[in-house]
């Protein structure tokens, strides 16, 4: 009887037990449509940085916590920590299904878009790890290539170049500020080729077929194409040298004349960040610009601030006078007025570790609370490509005054700064920019172009400050030792007879800061700091505000690359560790 | 099992049924007694017999119109005559009212006199007990009924007649325990014939409990049934597992209510007749692939099984719930600001809340003010930077601003049951209401249960029955969607110095001190009352069953069940308003302040068809067999619909019809859907054989198919076998029986089960569509992701289980003992099949790749007896259940034995961490410390300002010897830094195995006693040992060591915090955030803060009084009992040494503990039957 029932059940089971998903498509249906490809590729965009674009720390900015990279605080992770490959896998998945799409044009567009993002993703990997394995198809779980050794950075770079060239050739040339276009691809190519060229140059990597100059040339070419063909310009929307630059970072919707690609934020759709809060709060990291950078801004007339006698101990109000207008558009100076306000706002030391409060992406007071900002964030803008161009040409040794005029000098012109002169720059390289104690460049190319390279770096540093570039600039220039220099804030004078000094930074009659030695004075001030307790001063009772008592530590033989997670190496014995990282594995 | 003994000495017997015959008078009248007799004789077939000399029949008596019972009429008309009636057959005899006599005699069983038997005279308070020789003496009227009872014997009733002395009463042994029937899969069996591991809970064990759900009542009452509560929220479902973790993928037992899938939270406890907890594979195997986590069979009560009057039961409870943990937090503004600033500044170099020194003096002056002193207002206004602003100097008790300690709760339950020979019925309904802990707009949980059961014997061979139930629950709560979010918000940024509201009644949101909202805006939300949420659930279930008995010994049952479940949730959020500057209102409009209504509805439709036949017979002498076979098909369809709209026209009305437009004039709405389906089809059979109930054998098999696997791998066969030997039935056991050993049985079983509790379509690679949080200059676009590839041959996890059991009973079954031991192998657990390198880029495909083995045992022991106390019987009982298990991973692809994953040989739940060695005793020592602690003191090395680096009072970690310097193969020196090595079993650096997260030694202890109508019981439940390392974000444990802006700082926190004066404190040097991540001093798992969260809980205490029957009978009430019952009243735990603010069960849930607090319950109740 049982067997009869079993037999009956088996014959009937086919229909009764066949339950297909009713709210989800199969890959075959999905990838054959343009709408499907669009939906799938939308997710690629999340690879672009977000809050990291304004909250970078490095030698340019101090914050409450010193980044582990700067203080030798990195350890070999057991897994993850940048060694994540989901983004690349997703791109490869889409590329693998593209043949199902009958719409040839769409397929080509999404192939170009996918390959743009693959180059973008691999750039992040190469920056972090150097050599990485190259994958251009969706990996199966039994694919032996999962266990292959790392490919050389040469192979990866060549593949990235093939990808990005395909993207440049096939992405639309129509400007679109929130979507990847041909121009975004050119900007990316300029960025990663400059990285690779300078990295190989300064790290002395010459063993591959293509040397540093090959990549510097590619960077220069891509930049040149961009500058001459794209139609992007340096934005001067405010029509005022004292506002043009800041305007880029206070305009709610990114300025499309200069910005190539921005990340769109809009509170109406719940897409918000905390840029305003980050620089107007005591709990969001208390970012402050390093004294070194403040000192590196030129005077308005193009002369060097650091040539002025006594600049080292100059007080806040004096040092802010007559500087490159970009300074007052990047940090709070005595004249700073918040968007939508009329009165000046003074630097607030409880919001900033150094007293030099950053103001890029700070808009109205209403956006200064936590998760209240919705200003667009800039991922690629033309100024970077201009700087890339000048730097690539300078490093190649082929820089001309014309080159400077079509690139760096346009940036200077926007803010009313005198033009950079190639001959003058090379004639007297700025000793401050090479001063070791002030975190100057020690490895910059000596010889004919040293002066102009230093100047281009100065220009890059202040133009692109707080836009997420600095850490890897230091890496590619092999200047990690810079991180060992102390991070300084404003200079605090010696105390008076009562053991106090008072500061009214914006001359509004209200004392913004009082530093006292032992007894808190009765005189009113916005912030009171007891020297040695609430604030550490470089000379004990006076001197530069020094946020971190501990200095940075940089291991030249180890720290330019990140460690490969130890579990990854346990799983793949062919995976070599980066030099100097001890993960306890004996291979 | 009452027996009515008709003794030879009886003069007359009384038949209640005769007395209850109805007689009727047409009108009120004054008539002679003889006329009354005539009319009664006319209306009934009774004859009234009397001695004419003893009564005057001419006496005029009054009768009233209407229907009365014969007994009533006769007693009334005979009142004052000294006569009463006795009825025998159809004769009503008038006799002299009896006088009290002294009756004496002996109570004995077949062998010897019985000591301690209780004799009660019905309708009076007279009680007696037999002495050591079994003799008794009792005063009673002639004709009274005498009840004789004692544990282990059947109760006997005799009618006392004219024989006064030497009354011999013989009791027979109660075979109830032996005859007890247990519900098993697709049938029942006698308990003594069980060969598997099945525990049974009977209705009376649940009756007194004041817990409001069945699962909470079961906690601790069945060995091996582990129930853990996820929070103290009213209506919160508990997590259930049988015999511990069954699979690394989790899973829960199959719960069948009257044979159909159900939910223990959704059944009325009063409906339950019995619960069978099926623990071993052989008993569960009849349910095949659904039963790998065990089975819980709930059987509901049925109508009376013989003719009789309807029984109505009412049970009502009312009482309170209150938190199980301390709610005594720091309420002094001064200390709240001081502590948070101290911790914050150690990290950031600046204070958290910039209260000036003058402000601190204001707070100091008010530190003793429990309520606002008019001379020292808690809120002042000053002008700062040209604007008036509120200064806050309050002492706010945030816990009690937010929550109530005492919350009313009630429950009512009514049932109505009865039947005739052919029809039986049972109707029941219940209502529960629990008020939740929120003080403003309290949350409220109510539930309703209805059940109707009908059974008709249509013909001799056909019975049709129906069982329909309905459940509805409704939970409303304020605050954000997901009630635990409010508890999370409450944890942070709520300084006691802030007032609950501003003087003008506006809410306190942001302050002049901070840009973060106080408690993330929780008070703004609660005060305006517009954030409201409602979760409703409805469950309707109906089963129709036909039982055909074509001939004796064969029974065929066919039934069809339909369940419809719907769940609705409504979440409303509105803009929030608060004030920092007097008269200036700020509005919050984004995130959870966006004006938005979200409604979600899900429907589950479940259908099940069963048909099975059972045939049993006996052949030869003592060869009994039973065969059962059947077929079942079930399918479930789950469907979700979500809709939301923004900018509603009203803040108080919540309907999507009210969606308005945004600033751009657009109507913003969103919709979502989703559906899933599964089906299971199976054939199953069972064969039982026993010889003289002495040797027992059982075989089960089930052939299961499921839609959740691909057509190639969806069918599986799950067999089982078991055997039992009732040693006590052997002839050689007679002598043991004589010394009181009643039962001894050995059992063994083996079975295989499958687990189909996996995703609905795991074998298909799916595309998932979502809304992307990334904009392209427009509304949020959609995006798609693709599931990782699946392994083609994905199939069932298989569970093999071996069970041995021993049942033992003695002293008339007063002492009983059961022991079970088991080994369970879970094979082919679905997991990421092999650890793949990260370059794979996705979660490795699931494969049937991991195995584990659980070994465990369970014991239960019970004793019950009675003795004479102050002349009255005192009965008492004690029972203990105990269980334990250990699970080890026996197969897992992790050849390097990386500790962050499972590895072969791992005991499930291992905690690895560091050893610590106290605090640095001086800055000097800390500064020169030779061991690099940066891996675990990361934050200290990146802290800003003066607190940079290790200092006195910071925690020292032990650098374990990992280097062998003298070549003896034993490491003797540390490597000078704290590290995890390669994080593998062979190279784990300074990590050590510190403990285990799994509960060990779970027990329940039940003590009960009753005397003189009073009853008392205590139920203790506990876990012997369980380790817990507090989550980095568990602010309730770490206080400001986690986030240095903690709302709830324990009142005694200062005494536990390190300072120069308190160097031996529990917690180290005050530093904010050092608990908040795993690479920080307290966040890194270490031995110093590892907690043992084992506990012993006074789970229930009940004290009741049953009003004596003699009083109640006059009110036509058969039973009335009043009682007090308390649930979760107290607990002991080693955790209590370190914190009184965390319930050990709360700790066991892990995570940041921001969940609804655990509650105890105090209930007063009444049970009434008539």
């Amino acid at each position: 009887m049982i067997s009869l029932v079993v037999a009956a059940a088996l014959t009937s089971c086919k229909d009764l037990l066949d339950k297909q998903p009713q709210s989800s498509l199969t890959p075959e249906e999905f990838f054959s449509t343009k709408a499907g490809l669009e939906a799938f590729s939308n997710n690629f965009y999340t690879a672009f940085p977000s809050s990291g674009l304004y909250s970078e720390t490095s030698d340019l900015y101090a914050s409450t916590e010193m980044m582990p990279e700067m203080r030798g605080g990195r350890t070999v992770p057991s897994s993850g920590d940048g060694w994540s490959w989901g983004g690349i896998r997703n791109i490869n998945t889409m590329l693998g299904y593209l043949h199902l799409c009958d719409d040839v044009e769409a397929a080509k567009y999404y192939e170009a878009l996918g390959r743009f993002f693959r180059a973008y993703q691999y750039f992040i990997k190469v920056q972090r790890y150097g050599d990485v394995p190259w994958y251009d198809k969706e990996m199966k779980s039994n694919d032996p290539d999962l266990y292959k050794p790392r490919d050389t950075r040469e192979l990866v770079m060549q593949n990235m170049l093939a990808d990005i060239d395909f993207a440049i050739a096939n992405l639309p040339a129509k400007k679109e500020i929130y979507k990847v276009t041909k121009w975004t691809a050119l900007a990316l190519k300029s960025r990663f080729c400059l990285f690779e060229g300078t990295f190989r140059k300064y790290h002395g990597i010459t063993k591959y077929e293509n040397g540093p100059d090959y990549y510097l040339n590619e960077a220069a070419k891509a930049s040149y194409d961009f500058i001459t063909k794209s139609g992007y310009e340096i934005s001067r929307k405010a029509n005022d040298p004292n506002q043009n630059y800041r305007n880029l970072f206070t305009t709610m919707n990114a300025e499309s004349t200069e910005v190539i690609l921005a990340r769109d934020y809009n509170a109406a759709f719940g897409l918000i960040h905390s840029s305003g809060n980050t620089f107007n709060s005591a709990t969001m990291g208390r970012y402050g610009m390093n004294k070194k950078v403040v000192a590196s801004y030129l005077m308005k007339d193009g002369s060097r601030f650091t040539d002025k006698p006594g600049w080292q101990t100059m007080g806040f109000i004096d040092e802010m006078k007559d500087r490159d207008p970009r300074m007052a558009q990047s940090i709070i100076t005595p004249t700073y007025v918040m968007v939508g306000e009329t009165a000046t706002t003074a630097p607030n030391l409880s919001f900033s570790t150094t007293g030099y409060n950053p103001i890029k992406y700070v808009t109205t007071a209403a956006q200064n609370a936590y998760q209240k900002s919705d200003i667009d964030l800039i991922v690629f803008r033309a100024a970077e490509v201009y700087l890339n161009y000048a730097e690539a040409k300078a490093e190649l040794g082929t820089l001309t005054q014309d080159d400077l005029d079509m690139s760096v000098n346009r940036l200077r012109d926007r803010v009313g700064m005198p033009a950079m002169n190639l001959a003058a720059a090379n004639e007297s390289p700025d000793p401050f920019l090479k001063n070791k104690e002030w975190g100057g460049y020690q490895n910059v190319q000596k010889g004919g172009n040293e002066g102009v390279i230093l100047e281009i770096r100065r220009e890059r540093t202040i133009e692109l400050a707080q836009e997420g570039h600095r850490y890897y600039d230091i890496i590619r220039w092999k200047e990690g030792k810079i991180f060992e220099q102390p991070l300084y804030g404003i200079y605090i004078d010696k105390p008076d007879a009562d053991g106090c000094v008072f500061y009214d930074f914006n001359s509004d009659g209200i004392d913004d800061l009082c530093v006292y030695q032992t007894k808190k004075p009765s005189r009113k001030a916005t912030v009171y700091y007891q020297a040695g307790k609430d604030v550490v001063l470089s000379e004990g009772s006076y001197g530069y505000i020094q946020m971190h008592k501990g200095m940075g530590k940089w291991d030249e033989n180890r720290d330019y690359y990140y460690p490969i997670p130890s579990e990854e190496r346990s799983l793949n014995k062919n995976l070599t560790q980066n030099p100097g990282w001890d993960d306890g594995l004996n291979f | 099992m009452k027996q009515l003994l008709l003794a030879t000495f009886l003069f007359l017997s009384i038949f209640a049924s005769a007395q209850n015959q109805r007689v009727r008078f047409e009108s009120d009248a004054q008539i002679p007694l003889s006329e009354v007799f005539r009319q009664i004789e006319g209306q009934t077939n009774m004859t009234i017999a009397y001695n004419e000399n003893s009564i005057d029949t001419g006496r005029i008596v009054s009768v009233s119109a209407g229907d009365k019972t014969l007994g009533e009429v006769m007693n009334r008309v005979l009142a004052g005559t000294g006569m009463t009636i006795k009825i025998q057959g159809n004769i009503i005899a008038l006799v002299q009212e009896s006088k009290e006599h002294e009756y004496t005699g002996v109570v004995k069983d077949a062998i010897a006199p019985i000591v301690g038997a209780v004799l009660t005279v019905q309708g009076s308070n007279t009680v007696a007990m037999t002495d050591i020789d079994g003799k008794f003496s009792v005063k009673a009227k002639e004709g009274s009924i005498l009840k004789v009872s004692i544990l282990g014997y059947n109760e006997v009733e005799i009618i006392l007649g004219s024989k006064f002395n030497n009354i011999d009463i013989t009791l027979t042994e109660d075979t109830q325990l032996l005859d007890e029937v247990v519900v098993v899969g697709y049938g029942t069996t006698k308990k003594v014939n069980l060969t598997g591991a099945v525990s049974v809970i009977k209705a009376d064990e649940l009756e007194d409990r004041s817990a409001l759900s069945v699962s909470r009542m079961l906690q601790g009452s069945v060995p091996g049934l582990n129930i853990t509560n996820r929070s103290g929220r009213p209506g919160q479902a508990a997590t259930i597992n049988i015999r511990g973790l069954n699979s690394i993928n989790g899973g829960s037992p199959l719960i069948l209510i009257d044979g159909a899938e159900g939910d223990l939270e959704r059944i009325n406890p009063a409906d339950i007749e019995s619960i069978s907890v099926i623990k071993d594979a052989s008993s569960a195997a009849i349910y095949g692939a659904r039963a790998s986590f065990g089975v819980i069979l709930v059987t509901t009560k049925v109508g009376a099984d013989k003719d009789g009057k309807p029984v109505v039961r009412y049970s009502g409870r009312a009482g309170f719930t209150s938190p199980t943990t301390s709610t005594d937090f720091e309420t002094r503004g001064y200390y709240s600001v001081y502590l948070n600033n101290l911790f914050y500044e150690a990290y950031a170099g600046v204070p958290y809340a910039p209260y000036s020194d003058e402000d601190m003096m204001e707070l100091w002056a008010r530190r003793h003010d429990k309520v606002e002193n008019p001379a020292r207002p808690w809120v002042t206004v000053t002008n700062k930077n040209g604007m008036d602003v509120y200064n806050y100097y309050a002492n706010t008790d945030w816990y009690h601003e937010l929550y109530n300690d005492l919350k009313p709760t009630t429950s009512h339950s009514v049932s109505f049951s009865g039947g005739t020979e052919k029809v039986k019925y049972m109707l029941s309904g219940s209502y529960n209401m629990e008020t939740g802990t929120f003080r403003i707009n309290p949350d409220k949980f109510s539930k309703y249960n209805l059940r109707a059961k009908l059974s008709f014997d249509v013909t001799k061979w056909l019975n049709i029955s129906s069982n329909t139930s309905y459940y509805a629950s409704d939970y409303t709560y304020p605050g954000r969607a997901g009630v635990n979010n409010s508890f999370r918000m409450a944890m942070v940024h709520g300084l006691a110095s802030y007032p609950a509201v501003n003087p003008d009644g506006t809410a306190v949101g942001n302050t002049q001190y901070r840009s973060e909202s106080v408690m993330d805006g929780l008070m703004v939300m609660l005060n305006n009352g517009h954030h409201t949420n409602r979760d409703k659930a409805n469950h309707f279930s109906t089963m129709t069953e036909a039982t055909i008995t074509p001939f004796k010994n064969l029974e065929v049952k066919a039934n069809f069940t339909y369940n419809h479940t719907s769940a609705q949730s409504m979440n409303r959020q509105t803009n929030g308003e608060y004030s920092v500057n007097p008269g200036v209102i700020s509005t919050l409009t984004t995130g959870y302040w966006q004006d938005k209504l979200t409604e979600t509805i899900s429907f589950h439709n479940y259908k099940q068809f069963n048909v099975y036949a059972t045939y049993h017979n006996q052949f030869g002498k003592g060869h009994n067999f039973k065969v059962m076979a059947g077929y079942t098909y079930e399918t479930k369809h789950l469907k979700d619909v979500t809709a939301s709209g923004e900018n509603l026209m009203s803040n108080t009305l919540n309907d999507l019809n009210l969606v308005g437009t945004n600033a751009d004039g657009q109507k913003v709405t969103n919709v979502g859907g989703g559906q899933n389906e599964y089906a299971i089809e199976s054939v199953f059979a069972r064969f039982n054989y026993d010889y003289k109930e002495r040797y027992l054998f059982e075989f089960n098999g089930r052939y299961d198919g499921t839609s959740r696997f691909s057509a190639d791998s969806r069918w599986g066969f799950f067999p089982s076998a078991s055997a039992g030997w009732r040693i006590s039935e052997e002839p050689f056991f007679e002598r043991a029986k004589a010394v009181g050993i009643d039962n001894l049985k050995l059992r063994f079983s083996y079975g295989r089960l499958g687990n189909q509790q996996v995703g609905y379509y795991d074998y298909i690679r799916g595309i998932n569509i979502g809304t992307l949080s990334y904009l392209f200059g427009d509304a949020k676009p959609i995006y798609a992701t693709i599931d990782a590839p699946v392994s083609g041959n994905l199939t069932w996890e298989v569970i093999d289980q071996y069970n041995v059991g021993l049942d033992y009973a003695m002293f008339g079954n007063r002492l009983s003992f059961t022991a079970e031991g088991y080994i369970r192998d879970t094979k082919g657990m679905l997991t990421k099949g092999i650890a793949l390198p990260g370059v794979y880029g996705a979660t490795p495909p699931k494969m049937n790749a991991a195995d584990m083995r659980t070994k465990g045992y369970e014991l239960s022991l019970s004793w019950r007896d009675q003795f004479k106390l102050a002349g009255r019987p005192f009965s008492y009982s004690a029972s203990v259940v105990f269980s334990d298990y250990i699970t080890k991973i026996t197969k897992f692809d992790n050849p390097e034995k990386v500790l962050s994953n499972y590895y072969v040989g791992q005991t499930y739940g291992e905690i690895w961490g560091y050893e610590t060695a106290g605090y640095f005793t001086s800055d000097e020592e800390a500064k020169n410390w030779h061991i690099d602690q940066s891996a675990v003191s990361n934050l200290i090395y990146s802290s800003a300002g003066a607190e940079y680096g290790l200092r006195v009072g910071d925690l020292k970690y032990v650098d374990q010897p990992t280097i062998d310097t003298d070549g003896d193969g034993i490491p003797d020196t540390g490597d000078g830094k704290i590290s995890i090595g390669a994080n593998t079993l062979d190279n784990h650096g300074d990590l050590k195995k510190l403990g285990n997260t799994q509960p060990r030694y779970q027990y329940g202890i039940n003590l009960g006693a009753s005397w003189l109508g009073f009853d008392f019981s205590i139920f203790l439940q506990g876990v012997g040992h369980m380790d817990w390392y507090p989550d980095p974000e568990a602010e309730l444990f770490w206080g400001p060591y986690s986030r240095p802006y903690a709302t709830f700082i324990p009142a005694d926190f200062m005494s536990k915090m390190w300072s120069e004066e308190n160097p031996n404190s529990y917690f180290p040097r005050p530093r904010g955030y050092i608990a908040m991540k795993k690479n920080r001093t307290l966040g890194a798992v270490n031995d110093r803060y590892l907690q043992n969260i084992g506990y012993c809980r006074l789970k229930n205490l009940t004290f009741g009084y049953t009003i004596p029957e003699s009083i109640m009978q006059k009110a036509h009430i058969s039973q009335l009992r009043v009682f007090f019952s308390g649930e979760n009243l107290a607990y002991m735990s080693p955790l209590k040494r370190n914190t009184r603010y965390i319930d050990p069960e709360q700790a066991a849930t892990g995570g940041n503990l921001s969940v609804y607090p655990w509650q105890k319950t105090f209930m007063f109740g009444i049970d009434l039957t008539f």
Side-chain angles (χ1 to χ4, degrees), chain A residues 5 12-13 16-17 19 24 39 42 64-65 86 89 138 264 269 277 282-283 286 520 534 547 567-568 573, chain B residues 344-345 347-348 350 357 514-516 633 681 707 765 767 777 780 782 784 838 840-841 896 898 900 942 944-945:
Chain A
V5 179
S12 66
C13 73
L16 285 172
L17 293 181
K19 302 288 184 191
S24 161
N42 280 343
T64 330
E65 283 180 43
R89 181 190 178 86
E138 186 185 43
D264 185 19
F269 298 109
N277 193 225
T283 47
R286 302 176 63 218
K520 193 172 156 185
D534 302 322
M547 199 52 224
E567 283 182 13
E568 294 297 335
K573 299 282 193 292
Chain B
Y344 192 82
E345 198 155 358
Y347 155 77
V350 291
D357 290 358
R514 300 291 314 173
S515 61
E516 292 88 350
Y633 176 76
E681 187 179 28
S707 65
R765 198 176 182 193
I767 301 270
K780 283 184 182 175
I782 61 155
Y840 178 67
E896 301 297 327
V898 175
S900 58
S942 65

Side-chain angles (χ1 to χ4, degrees), chain B residues 781-1055:
Chain B
I782 61 155
Y783 77 106
T785 53
I786 185 165
D787 294 337
V790 282
S791 167
N793 52 0
L794 203 68
T795 186
W796 327 78
E797 291 180 12
V798 166
I799 284 170
D800 284 332
Q801 190 171 356
Y802 303 85
N803 192 86
V804 290
L806 172 85
D807 298 315
Y808 179 78
M810 67 187 296
F811 306 135
N813 291 313
R814 280 177 289 177
L815 176 73
S816 64
F817 173 72
T818 296
E820 309 273 358
Y822 62 91
I823 293 175
R824 183 181 59 218
D825 285 319
T826 308
K827 291 178 182 165
M829 287 185 288
L830 278 180
T831 180
K832 33 184 192 178
I834 42 172
L836 289 179
V839 292
Y840 178 67
T843 313
K846 281 184 177 176
M847 287 164 63
N848 299 96
D851 293 356
M852 70 181 192
R853 166 170 280 197
T854 303
K855 289 183 187 176
Y857 62 92
E858 290 142 13
L859 305 172
S860 68
L861 178 67
S862 74
W863 169 255
R864 54 186 188 141
D865 200 4
Q866 61 184 15
F867 59 85
K868 199 164 171 177
L869 183 69
R872 300 300 179 114
F874 178 91
S875 62
Y876 66 98
S877 65
S879 64
V880 177
V881 301
F882 186 90
S883 66
D884 191 31
Y885 62 87
I886 286 183
T887 301
K888 287 196 166 174
I889 303 294
T890 49
K891 181 181 160 196
F892 199 91
D893 189 73
N894 180 2
E896 301 297 327
K897 302 200 172 177
V898 175
L899 298 179
S900 58
N901 210 340
Y902 299 110
Y903 61 86
V904 173
Q906 181 188 34
T907 303
Y908 186 85
E910 279 175 1
I911 299 176
W912 287 78
Y914 300 98
E915 206 177 326
T916 57
Y919 302 141
F920 292 106
T921 51
S922 68
D923 280 339
E924 211 54 46
E925 185 194 7
K927 202 175 169 191
N928 300 321
W929 192 237
H930 58 288
I931 292 162
D932 175 5
Q933 293 200 174
S934 52
V936 291
S937 305
N938 189 289
L939 191 71
I940 294 177
Y941 290 111
S942 65
S943 283
E947 290 284 308
Y948 169 87
L950 293 172
R951 294 198 56 189
V952 56
D954 281 321
L955 196 59
K956 269 191 246 176
Y957 275 75
V958 175
D959 184 25
Q960 303 290 350
T962 47
I963 299 168
D964 177 18
T965 51
D966 53 13
D968 65 354
I970 302 159
D972 45 58
T973 316
D975 60 356
K977 69 173 185 186
I978 302 299
S979 81
I980 57 170
N983 200 31
T984 60
L985 191 63
D986 294 335
N987 178 2
H988 49 78
D990 300 308
L991 292 174
K992 286 180 80 174
K993 207 185 288 179
L994 296 182
N996 195 294
T997 60
Q998 291 296 294
R1000 299 296 307 273
Y1001 318 121
Q1002 306 194 62
Y1003 58 87
I1005 300 169
N1006 210 333
L1007 304 171
S1010 67
W1011 184 66
L1012 274 180
F1014 291 97
D1015 59 84
F1016 176 73
S1017 71
I1018 277 188
F1019 178 36
L1020 301 167
Q1021 177 262 332
V1023 171
H1025 187 103
M1026 181 169 180
D1027 291 313
W1028 171 61
Y1029 194 81
D1031 185 83
E1033 301 231 30
E1035 281 95 0
L1036 274 182
F1037 186 84
W1038 298 116
Y1041 288 97
S1042 178
R1043 293 177 187 271
Y1045 34 85
T1047 305
F1048 301 118
I1049 299 176
D1052 61 353
F1053 186 72
M1054 304 265 267
S1055 68

Side-chain angles (χ1 to χ4, degrees), chain B residues 257-258 263 266-268 270-272 298-301 414-416 426-430 448-454 466-471 539 541:
Chain B
I257 295 171
D258 292 330
D263 185 341
R266 296 184 170 178
I267 181 164
N268 176 2
D271 285 355
I272 295 175
V298 179
T299 309
T300 59
K301 288 174 180 159
V414 183
S415 73
F416 177 63
M426 200 284 288
L427 303 171
S428 78
S430 72
Y448 307 83
N449 282 98
L450 293 172
R451 181 175 297 275
K453 288 178 86 168
L454 292 169
S466 137
N467 181 355
T468 300
S469 68
Y470 176 73
Y471 162 89
H539 179 79
S541 170

